[in-house]
Amino acid sequence: MEGFFEGVGVAALVILALAGLAIGWLAGALSGRSKAVYAIIGAVAAMATPFLLAALGVTVIAAGGVLLVIIVGAVGAAVVVGLVRALSGRR
């Protein structure tokens, strides 16, 4: 797992944050709710997903390169933002 942290780098984290921000903002815009809150949730989820999977032992992500890490982060952000949207009591 240590190799994964070395391999990700700062540039990939910035790209993950931007992808999460975009997904969160889009979810907020589509639902008519706070775009900023969803953007922050998306950014945090996108950056956390690859690390969570690496901690669970899914090391093939690091071998797939930065593009695969970004795709996994974007999917993770979409899932978390969708969960937050579904679990929030406001309609």
Side-chain angles (χ1 to χ4, degrees):
M1 188 153 110
E2 189 175 298
F4 177 75
F5 293 121
E6 292 174 5
V8 171
V10 176
L13 287 176
V14 170
I15 294 170
L16 281 169
L18 291 174
L21 283 171
I23 289 170
W25 182 85
L26 183 62
L30 290 175
S31 67
R33 298 184 185 169
S34 176
K35 295 177 196 126
V37 172
Y38 281 110
I40 291 170
I41 292 169
V44 170
M47 290 189 297
T49 302
F51 292 107
L52 178 66
L53 290 176
L56 292 174
V58 183
T59 57
V60 71
I61 295 170
V66 175
L67 184 61
L68 184 60
V69 170
I70 293 168
I71 291 170
V72 167
V75 170
V79 168
V80 170
V81 167
L83 286 173
V84 168
R85 185 169 175 246
L87 295 176
S88 66
R90 297 178 298 162
R91 296 266 175 210

